[in-house]
Amino acid sequence: MNTSQIDDDYIELDNITKEISRLLFTNLNDILKARLSAVIPNRSSNNFGNENAPISAKYDCRIKLQYHKNIMSSVEEGMIFAVRNFKNKNLQSKDDGQLKQIYTLLVASRIWPDHYGLRGISDHTYYPMQFEVIEQSVEDWDTDDKSTMMIQLSTIPINYDLVVSIDKNKDNEIKYEYVRGFSYPIIGDSVFLLNAKTVSQMYNQKVLKKMNVQMDSLPLDVQKSLKIGTIKMFEDSEDKIPIYINFDNLVRYHFGIFAFTGGGKSNLLSNLLRKILKNTADTKIILFDISCEYPFLLADIFADGSIKSKIILENKVNNTDQFYVSVVKPREFEDDERSKKGLDVIFEKGLVTNFVKPYSVTPKCKEVLNELNDLKNEVGGKPHYLDAINQIHNTIFQHMVSNKLTESSFIDENFVTVLSVCATEAIKTFKVNDKSGLYAWAFSRSTLVSRLKKQDKDGDSDREVAVNIAGTKPYDEGMTEDDILKLLEGDTRLVCISISDPYTIKELSISITQEMLKRRKRQFKVKPHILFVFDEAQEFIRDLSNARGIDRECSEGIETLLRQGRKYGLGGCIATQRIAYLNTSALQQLHTYFVGTLPRPYDRNVVSNTFTIDNGILEKTLEFAPGEWLLSSYIATGIENVPIFIKSDNSEKNIEAFLNK
């Protein structure tokens, strides 16, 4: 290739670069002129071996901007910048008429102004001179003096390249895509800021395509229903950038919401649940609400006749006044007369019931097996006692297999007969002392028959619940665990279990999650998706190193659901204000997370380490107002594992609209 041909190629590329800049980038009305000044490798050797050390990006890319007083109010953390990288060297010109420009994408993590005069002084400078220079610098910031001031940016790679293709055979048609991976940027080259349209396309196009949605053809109310909020980037501009997520992927692959008290956690969660129900065909939600606040936060959904729902309280409520007192309201609505009227509507629809745990409930096979395990722990020092217990266990297990019983199956008279016979035979065979607890347990198993007969006699009233749900009676007699499972197997789409007693709600969460997982495995079903929501998750999935008894069993059960559930269409949502107290193995199953303000460094470090996000980005969350979030997802957003600063829609507007009716 001769020199003139090379010059022509560079002229053409320069023109194309200008066209790319016009379409994809913004210079903020000609005030943004920036260059990449340095790419600094991050070294974190001091944190080696410390599992709680925050994640740091591989490189810190420093950008210098010519000073303009409006830049400091226009550029902020979270904005995406692009700079050409070294892959352009061999891809600038192709014989097939294709030209390419490849940019490394960087997200701003810090921004600060720099004044040459202030840099020239130190603590050793003559004091009056220090004050004079500092005082004079104040006036400089109101000018556009580029000789004494500039703006510096610290950015980190988002591990995506923007590949722009230009087809010379099609009138320089421009196409672009995002390719995962990091390419070393060209130091000293111009840096560009992605414009609002490009940012919207980057975050949303893949999601909308997956959902087969054409936004322009939808009514405005449907468009508002689909978006979860707006991107904080360019939030001061006239055109707000909406943010969309794939609701099916959000549900099936689990998500978490983490924020300190007052960060808007309940507001965001209720809004996401509302949008999931309205924008999916048949997704079901079961909400474990230990704070008893979601009957009000989702009042418009419960009052919506097109979405079948149920509220299960701890105690029976006989009238609307009792229901009103049982539900926690946001501070703004506590003294609002409309609140009571709104809850009246829900109560009169017959949606409110209570959880029934009768003392005479039929035991399950699991309870018998657990009793045997407890007996093993009590007689650990006596081998012949252990042999007796193992013989009983094996006989019972064989009976369960031959009769196709699971641990969640209720026992019957046949089961009790087998248990009683094998227990007494084992006691005699291994000569168990008649003063021991094992002996007393074995010879008392036959009494379970009378308990079963009492349940058959008294259990009819509990079974009337299914009839009550159909609407033949205004208020039912309560719901058992089995009735809740029937709701999930039926056409009910929202079940809110608002029980403040930790032990009761944990027991329910253990048994319901385990049973639904077993049923899906047996049925080989994936749909409809069922979302299990655990608000105040520190009560349900505690760190296993500090969990004992039912706390440990609950944490392990939910961890199992999160590890195995996505294969069977069972998703999980975890919402908490203290992520540091949670089971990290369960946290690692989350594919999407919303992070609000977390004042404690340890909580931020856990997020950084668990979700591989730079701690410098997380520190931006300390500035968040209620309703502002850092969103990142491996599967539900348009671009994988890239932090997005968003402002969520306000759920209380939906409540206001409902109450105004």
Side-chain angles (χ1 to χ4, degrees):
M1 184 180 291
N2 56 39
T3 305
S4 61
Q5 181 64 43
I6 294 175
D7 291 339
D8 290 342
D9 271 356
Y10 273 106
I11 292 172
E12 184 178 14
L13 279 170
D14 184 58
N15 292 332
I16 288 172
T17 300
K18 291 179 180 177
E19 181 64 15
I20 292 172
S21 299
R22 186 184 68 82
L23 291 176
L24 304 182
F25 308 134
T26 177
N27 58 13
L28 301 178
N29 297 322
D30 293 327
I31 65 172
L32 182 66
K33 295 178 175 61
R35 295 275 176 175
L36 180 66
S37 63
V39 178
I40 306 168
N42 277 332
R43 296 178 177 86
S44 55
S45 57
N46 293 335
N47 294 328
F48 182 76
N50 181 5
E51 65 175 11
N52 294 319
I55 298 296
S56 295
K58 191 175 181 180
Y59 294 100
D60 178 12
C61 301
R62 296 291 177 87
I63 298 173
K64 296 185 185 296
L65 294 78
Q66 288 188 5
Y67 181 78
H68 192 285
K69 60 184 178 181
N70 292 333
I71 286 183
M72 287 301 299
S73 60
S74 301
V75 177
E76 60 180 280
E77 292 90 340
M79 285 187 167
I80 306 294
F81 291 83
V83 57
R84 290 189 307 166
N85 58 51
F86 285 98
K87 285 188 176 180
N88 282 278
K89 182 177 180 181
N90 298 320
L91 293 173
Q92 284 182 345
S93 180
K94 295 288 185 181
D95 295 334
D96 58 2
Q98 295 285 333
L99 296 174
K100 287 189 178 182
Q101 291 278 52
I102 305 178
Y103 299 85
T104 296
L105 295 179
L106 311 169
V107 59
S109 59
R110 291 183 182 88
I111 179 172
W112 67 96
D114 208 347
H115 193 288
Y116 186 79
L118 294 175
R119 279 202 169 199
I121 62 174
S122 69
D123 289 341
H124 304 291
T125 305
Y126 184 49
Y127 293 161
M129 186 178 294
Q130 288 188 44
F131 281 101
E132 185 174 352
V133 173
I134 293 171
E135 184 179 354
Q136 289 180 356
S137 69
V138 176
E139 298 179 0
D140 293 339
W141 298 122
D142 289 329
T143 69
D144 296 327
D145 186 359
K146 299 175 177 58
S147 62
T148 58
M149 295 171 294
M150 69 175 175
I151 295 173
Q152 298 207 50
L153 271 176
S154 179
T155 65
I156 59 175
I158 67 171
N159 296 321
Y160 273 90
D161 284 351
L162 171 61
V163 180
V164 186
S165 303
I166 304 96
D167 193 339
K168 295 194 295 184
N169 298 325
K170 295 183 179 180
D171 297 327
N172 289 337
E173 179 185 22
I174 295 179
K175 295 182 179 180
Y176 52 97
E177 61 179 334
Y178 303 94
V179 179
R180 192 167 180 82
F182 170 75
S183 301
Y184 203 92
I186 300 174
I187 300 175
D189 205 357
S190 296
V191 177
F192 305 96
L193 175 62
L194 269 61
N195 62 31
K197 183 178 179 181
T198 306
V199 169
S200 178
Q201 187 272 346
M202 180 173 74
Y203 289 141
N204 294 321
Q205 187 181 61
K206 185 178 177 181
V207 172
L208 296 176
K209 185 177 180 181
K210 181 77 173 178
M211 295 192 299
N212 196 25
V213 170
Q214 295 291 335
M215 294 303 298
D216 296 338
S217 62
L218 296 177
L220 286 178
D221 60 332
V222 178
Q223 293 185 31
K224 290 181 180 179
S225 176
L226 282 170
K227 75 180 183 71
I228 64 168
T230 56
I231 300 174
K232 278 182 56 62
M233 205 183 312
F234 305 112
E235 66 176 339
D236 294 329
S237 63
E238 293 182 3
D239 296 327
K240 304 292 184 183
I241 307 174
I243 181 71
Y244 304 99
I245 54 177
N246 187 312
F247 293 113
D248 285 332
N249 287 345
L250 180 73
V251 169
R252 187 171 179 181
Y253 293 91
H254 321 314
F255 64 99
I257 300 174
F258 314 115
F260 194 60
T261 302
K265 174 172 57 67
S266 299
N267 190 301
L268 174 64
L269 177 56
S270 59
N271 210 35
L272 288 175
L273 299 183
R274 178 181 290 106
K275 291 179 182 294
I276 289 169
L277 290 168
K278 289 190 174 183
N279 293 292
T280 57
D282 54 4
T283 300
K284 302 173 185 293
I285 296 174
I286 177 167
L287 171 58
F288 295 92
D289 174 26
I290 199 170
S291 56
C292 303
E293 57 183 342
Y294 288 90
F296 185 83
L297 293 176
L298 293 171
D300 57 316
I301 296 297
F302 289 114
D304 187 345
S306 64
I307 299 175
K308 194 170 182 180
S309 55
K310 202 73 176 173
I311 298 172
I312 303 172
L313 302 179
E314 187 170 356
N315 300 306
K316 184 176 181 179
V317 292
N318 298 309
N319 52 56
T320 55
D321 290 334
Q322 292 179 355
F323 179 46
Y324 179 77
V325 173
S326 301
V327 175
V328 177
K329 281 78 64 180
R331 186 173 58 253
E332 296 81 1
F333 295 97
E334 284 180 349
D335 300 321
D336 193 331
E337 286 296 324
R338 299 174 302 164
S339 300
K340 188 174 186 304
K341 294 179 181 179
L343 293 176
D344 285 350
V345 172
I346 297 171
F347 189 79
E348 293 300 329
K349 284 179 174 287
L351 303 178
V352 182
T353 184
N354 64 291
F355 177 61
V356 176
K357 187 181 179 183
Y359 70 91
S360 59
V361 69
T362 305
K364 295 182 179 180
C365 298
K366 175 184 176 182
E367 295 176 34
V368 176
L369 297 177
N370 286 341
E371 288 176 359
L372 288 170
N373 290 329
D374 292 339
L375 288 169
K376 277 186 179 181
N377 296 329
E378 294 175 7
V379 300
K382 300 176 180 178
H384 61 297
Y385 280 31
L386 289 175
D387 290 338
I389 294 171
N390 287 332
Q391 180 172 304
I392 299 170
H393 186 281
N394 292 337
T395 304
I396 291 300
F397 185 76
Q398 291 173 5
H399 174 78
M400 290 172 60
V401 171
S402 60
N403 289 274
K404 298 181 180 179
L405 300 176
T406 67
E407 290 185 359
S408 299
S409 301
F410 291 103
I411 66 173
D412 53 18
E413 290 191 35
N414 187 27
F415 183 97
V416 174
T417 300
V418 173
L419 173 62
S420 179
V421 170
C422 72
T424 52
E425 287 180 351
I427 292 300
K428 295 175 181 177
T429 301
F430 294 98
K431 298 181 174 22
V432 174
N433 192 305
D434 59 3
K435 298 288 194 302
S436 66
L438 176 58
Y439 185 95
W441 178 87
F443 278 92
S444 64
R445 292 309 86 198
S446 59
T447 60
L448 287 173
V449 175
S450 60
R451 184 174 171 184
L452 294 179
K453 291 179 178 178
K454 186 179 189 312
Q455 177 65 20
D456 290 338
K457 180 180 179 181
D458 299 338
D460 292 340
S461 62
D462 292 331
R463 298 296 172 252
E464 289 177 4
V465 172
V467 178
N468 296 333
I469 295 170
T472 57
K473 290 202 300 184
Y475 311 116
D476 58 52
E477 299 295 332
M479 303 199 76
T480 64
E481 176 192 319
D482 195 44
D483 295 320
I484 297 173
L485 292 169
K486 289 178 181 177
L487 290 179
L488 295 177
E489 293 285 1
D491 57 356
T492 301
R493 295 191 61 197
L494 174 60
V495 179
C496 179
I497 302 177
S498 294
I499 297 177
S500 60
D501 177 52
Y503 192 89
T504 301
I505 199 169
K506 286 173 189 176
E507 272 193 329
L508 264 177
S509 67
I510 294 168
S511 55
I512 290 176
T513 53
Q514 289 180 349
E515 180 61 22
M516 287 307 302
L517 189 58
K518 289 175 183 177
R519 291 187 183 188
R520 283 295 174 96
K521 287 179 178 179
R522 291 197 301 267
Q523 298 166 351
F524 300 101
K525 285 179 64 175
V526 174
K527 287 191 174 182
H529 294 161
I530 300 179
L531 176 65
F532 293 80
V533 182
F534 302 95
D535 190 36
E536 303 296 343
Q538 68 275 4
E539 296 287 341
F540 295 94
I541 52 170
R542 291 186 183 178
D543 181 5
L544 293 179
S545 61
N546 298 318
R548 300 291 184 272
I550 193 171
D551 290 334
R552 186 178 188 87
E553 187 179 358
C554 187
S555 182
E556 290 175 339
I558 296 174
E559 179 189 337
T560 301
L561 172 75
L562 296 176
R563 280 193 288 104
Q564 302 178 12
R566 61 177 173 267
K567 293 183 290 186
Y568 305 101
L570 303 179
C573 167
I574 293 171
T576 183
Q577 55 183 309
R578 282 310 309 271
I579 189 173
Y581 293 158
L582 267 56
N583 180 341
T584 53
S585 297
L587 288 176
Q588 288 169 349
Q589 308 305 318
L590 306 180
H591 281 57
T592 304
Y593 50 94
F594 299 82
V595 183
T597 301
L598 293 173
R600 295 179 177 86
Y602 186 77
D603 286 334
R604 295 197 301 276
N605 291 347
V606 171
V607 173
S608 177
N609 190 52
T610 304
F611 304 117
T612 62
I613 183 170
D614 185 79
N615 203 46
I617 294 291
L618 279 174
E619 287 181 359
K620 172 66 177 175
T621 63
L622 294 173
E623 306 170 18
F624 281 177
E628 296 179 347
W629 301 88
L630 183 152
L631 163 64
S632 188
S633 177
Y634 292 97
I635 197 165
T637 54
I639 190 164
E640 296 177 6
N641 202 30
V642 173
I644 312 169
F645 295 128
I646 70 168
K647 184 173 182 61
S648 66
D649 291 339
N650 190 352
S651 178
E652 291 183 3
K653 290 184 177 179
N654 295 279
I655 301 299
E656 278 282 351
F658 164 66
L659 296 181
N660 286 335
K661 293 181 181 180

